[in-house]
Amino acid sequence: MNTRNFEVIIIGGSYAGLSAALSLGRAIRKVLVIDNGKPCNRHTPHSHNFLTQDGRSPAIIAETGKEQVMQYPTVQFMDAWVTEVKKEKEQFIVFTSDHQNLTAKKILFATGVKDLMPGIESFDDCWGISAIHCPYCHGYEYKGKKTGLLANGDIAFEFSQLLHNWTDQLTIFTNGPSTITSAQADQLVLKNIFIVEKKIRKFQHHKGYIQSMKFRDGSTFQLDAIYAKLSFEQHSPIPEKLGCKINEQGYIQIDEFQRTSIPGIYAAGDNTTSMRSVASAVAAGTKAGAFINHDLISGN
Ligand SMILES: Cc1cc2nc3c(=O)[nH]c(=O)nc-3n(C[C@H](O)[C@H](O)[C@H](O)COP(=O)(O)OP(=O)(O)OC[C@H]3O[C@@H](n4cnc5c(N)ncnc54)[C@H](O)[C@@H]3O)c2cc1C
């Protein structure tokens, strides 16, 4: 098996990974980006709130980024899934699904997170289209519309306060007994926000655009959009296996220079923060690229 050597291997070649590759390519570093093409926003037709790219499709933004990055001759891109990373003396060995054996001095995980679907029939068909995660990304398109929030407890209470900025037709669906306190419910009523505790059977939709929610008791509720606070897991389990500290919220712990708790390993983008946006991922990737280059120069 051929071993190929790089200064930096970036695992994950979406917004964070490509931005890091751009900084490193411009620093004339020998870089390999490995990506298997499953960014978390791939289901959404239009990406919003990233300056110069507002309303463009997520894939077009990433393709444009990749085209620009690949103009730097020291950067290579590989379409593959990374299965394992091992630390051996002063270097890392990266193994891929197509049996490649690669080495690098530094590793950047820009691997993102995986949203866990809630197990409601047809929810997945609506995810990213009319079942959405963030009002800054998609709230403007549904302003003033009949909107749901699939969440419970304190999170539902706090998120609903924010969403009320975009619509005064908001209903919280707890999909089972509500854990919102009665004091919180009283405050919600003042804003005309009501709570529905019925168990949800399915989303009725047309091409991902929700029309109504059907409950297990057979009744329905008409909706134009629904926000969902989903659980998530790290898209790649490798950082944790390597010993990188994961914080209580499930994100890779990093310092202000994108370094993880393991020397030589960095992380950037959604895998490190709940501030989930293309702009934030791009900013973090740019920073990671600059500090990896800095550490290569200073021998850290
Ligand atoms: C439905 C939805 C809609 C959104 N809409 C917007 C919006 O309108 N505006 C906005 O600003 N933000 C939006 N976001 C948030 C935005 O998409 C994310 O913040 C952004 O994609 C994070 O970029 P990232 O590079 O960290 O991770 P991702 O874009 O998720 O990319 C991670 C990449 O790493 C790859 N990868 C993971 N593990 C491996 C491995 N072991 N080997 C190889 N490759 C691997 C994945 O395949 C993927 O390509 C949305 C998110 C969702 C879920």
Side-chain angles (χ1 to χ4, degrees):
M1 190 186 284
N2 255 348
T3 302
R4 288 194 285 149
N5 308 308
F6 296 87
E7 289 178 293
V8 185
I9 291 181
I10 299 173
I11 304 171
S14 181
Y15 313 102
L18 286 171
S19 301
L22 185 59
S23 299
L24 287 162
R26 292 183 57 75
I28 327 154
R29 292 291 174 190
K30 195 176 173 202
V31 178
L32 175 67
V33 182
I34 309 175
D35 183 75
N36 79 324
K38 296 259 185 291
C40 64
N41 62 352
R42 62 190 180 278
H43 308 285
T44 209
H46 304 284
S47 177
H48 290 280
N49 207 27
F50 178 31
L51 199 64
T52 75
Q53 305 295 316
D54 190 47
R56 292 182 87 191
S57 96
I60 297 281
I61 299 173
E63 271 164 35
T64 309
K66 187 174 163 190
E67 249 172 58
Q68 294 180 349
V69 170
M70 294 316 294
Q71 286 175 21
Y72 293 85
T74 57
V75 181
Q76 292 179 43
F77 195 95
M78 183 188 285
D79 188 350
W81 174 251
V82 173
T83 51
E84 196 182 357
V85 177
K86 280 187 189 162
K87 184 155 193 191
E88 214 175 74
K89 295 182 187 150
E90 294 306 299
Q91 64 171 11
F92 296 93
I93 309 177
V94 175
F95 300 89
T96 68
S97 49
D98 51 358
H99 312 294
Q100 306 247 20
N101 194 345
L102 311 147
T103 70
K105 294 176 189 159
K106 307 280 185 197
I107 298 287
L108 169 64
F109 284 97
T111 38
V113 294
K114 214 165 23 172
D115 297 295
L116 303 176
M117 297 295 119
I120 296 169
E121 199 183 322
S122 296
F123 178 94
D124 311 21
D125 299 330
C126 298
W127 180 237
I129 299 170
S130 60
I132 48 186
H133 77 299
C134 158
Y136 297 100
C137 298
H138 305 289
Y140 189 86
E141 284 61 43
Y142 290 110
K143 63 183 186 303
K145 299 278 188 190
K146 224 169 166 198
T147 303
L149 166 60
L150 180 62
N152 208 343
D154 289 345
I155 289 177
F157 175 71
E158 274 144 32
F159 201 34
S160 65
Q161 310 292 302
L162 179 72
L163 298 181
H164 190 256
N165 177 71
W166 281 267
T167 181
D168 56 5
Q169 294 194 73
L170 184 62
T171 307
I172 298 174
F173 297 93
T174 54
N175 195 22
S178 168
T179 54
I180 295 167
T181 66
S182 52
Q184 289 171 335
D186 289 347
Q187 281 190 56
L188 293 174
V189 168
L190 294 176
K191 289 187 169 165
N192 253 341
I193 302 171
F194 296 98
I195 302 165
V196 174
E197 297 182 287
K198 291 184 199 179
K199 279 284 208 182
I200 303 163
R201 169 161 297 154
K202 68 185 289 193
F203 283 13
Q204 305 186 117
H205 68 98
H206 179 66
K207 295 187 173 169
Y209 291 92
I210 191 168
Q211 292 167 324
S212 60
M213 184 114 91
K214 187 162 188 176
F215 299 100
R216 286 202 191 157
D217 65 6
S219 61
T220 57
F221 194 106
Q222 195 225 315
L223 280 174
D224 299 308
I226 181 158
Y227 289 86
K229 279 284 178 197
L230 300 185
S231 307
F232 73 90
E233 62 187 21
Q234 287 285 327
H235 200 148
S236 169
I238 299 172
E240 192 170 4
K241 280 191 198 152
L242 281 164
C244 296
K245 278 192 189 141
I246 306 289
N247 68 22
E248 272 179 16
Q249 291 79 43
Y251 297 106
I252 301 171
Q253 189 177 300
I254 49 162
D255 69 9
E256 58 183 314
F257 307 112
Q258 309 292 141
R259 297 182 188 119
T260 70
S261 55
I262 301 288
I265 303 182
Y266 303 74
D270 273 14
N271 58 8
T272 63
T273 176
S274 61
M275 279 301 294
R276 218 176 164 190
S277 75
V278 173
S280 307
V282 165
T286 305
K287 195 170 163 194
F291 282 105
I292 290 171
N293 185 50
H294 175 275
D295 289 351
L296 282 167
I297 291 167
S298 60
N300 274 344

